[in-house]
Amino acid sequence: MSESCNSCSAAGTCTTDSCSSEPQVSEAQKASHVGKVIAVMSGKGGVGKSSVTSMLAVSLRHQGYKVGVLDADITGPSIPKIFGVTGRVGVNNTGILPLKSRAGIQIMSLNLMIEAEDDPVILRGPMIAQLVKRFWTDVIWGELDYLLIDLPPGTGDVPITVFQTLPVDGVVIVTSPQVLANMVVRKAIKMVRKYQPPIYGLIENMAYVQCPDCTNRIEIFGKPKGQEEAKRNAIPYLGELAIDPLLAELSDAGKIEDYPAPAFDQIAKRLTEQVMLTVISS
Ligand code: ADP
């Protein structure tokens, strides 16, 4: 498969060795230049995937990168709320204009297109997958170093569409100790391997609670298993994150960009190193 096939709508299903027609590139795509597209995935909901995606975006922004977040969790979108971004995306002759967070992170979510944020999205799988595809083809992302895609949990229609039709450079797996106790993470990893983007690494969220009165770590879900699981699957381990009530509080208040984030900054740094290593070794 040639590199240009990545942006073709038939990528992944096409059986032709050499394609005579160039893939169609939309006006919005022509007006955009996205450095690296990173999909953030979890085997199960509730592990903090959207929170981690958002904080990775914030940390990358702190490091001076231009960052966007594509909220592909169409039926459970939480990215605009976490960033406190409200209103509707703009539209011009070229495409859709995402909204910007206070720190300048570009955000695209179906919740920025509907009447009220609590309106349910009642769509079947293929329609949802089509929408996600259009968040790539019809959105004017402009100049970005990193576009993070917040995938819905699991291995359903949307991850399939994203891996087949978007030029995903690599994947980050988010998990938590309870989830690592079963096999769903391995399912997600196996799915990624089927579509072949490299896995930049695994992040274990909610690994422990820091005692507020002493230096003890309280491992309420038992010993963190992220490092072991990463090793078992031969993928990099990007780090662990504590359960921190302040993170939940600021997310609920739409102020995630105010979260003091040394742990996230370190993880984001390791992520950029993995991205570089993958470029060098490919
Ligand atoms: P997912 O995207 O995996 O469904 P979310 O990111 O929506 O998960 O997180 C689920 C809930 O857990 C949210 O209320 C969020 O604020 C909270 N949460 C996530 N990570 C943490 C953390 N490290 N510390 C405290 N609360 C967290």
Side-chain angles (χ1 to χ4, degrees), residues 44-51 78 205-206 242-245 247-248 251:
K44 218 169 161 39
V47 301
K49 172 189 46 63
S50 300
S51 309
S78 51
N205 189 28
M206 307 186 185
I243 297 178
D244 183 353
L247 176 64
S251 296

Side-chain angles (χ1 to χ4, degrees), residues 35-170:
K36 293 287 169 208
V37 177
I38 301 178
V40 185
M41 190 178 188
S42 69
K44 218 169 161 39
V47 301
K49 172 189 46 63
S50 300
S51 309
V52 171
T53 306
S54 305
M55 276 311 302
L56 282 178
V58 174
S59 288
L60 289 168
R61 186 79 194 111
H62 286 165
Q63 289 172 33
Y65 295 110
K66 294 188 185 114
V67 187
V69 180
L70 187 164
D71 186 357
D73 196 348
I74 301 289
T75 53
S78 51
I79 298 294
K81 181 157 177 20
I82 290 175
F83 280 94
V85 169
T86 53
R88 302 278 191 90
V89 291
V91 181
N92 68 18
N93 289 341
T94 309
I96 301 167
L97 295 153
L99 292 187
K100 272 194 183 169
S101 74
R102 279 178 298 144
I105 296 168
Q106 304 258 38
I107 293 174
M108 181 64 205
S109 170
L110 187 62
N111 252 24
L112 301 174
M113 300 179 89
I114 58 180
E115 199 70 39
E117 67 164 18
D118 54 0
D119 281 348
V121 176
I122 305 169
L123 292 173
R124 290 195 185 274
M127 281 288 287
I128 291 174
Q130 190 59 25
L131 261 175
V132 171
K133 202 167 133 190
R134 295 190 68 170
F135 282 4
W136 172 252
T137 56
D138 297 4
V139 171
I140 307 163
W141 288 104
E143 290 283 326
L144 289 184
D145 298 302
Y146 290 101
L147 176 66
L148 304 183
I149 304 179
D150 185 28
L151 290 176
T155 52
D157 277 342
V158 170
I160 293 173
T161 300
V162 167
F163 291 134
Q164 282 187 338
T165 61
L166 269 61
V168 176
D169 291 286

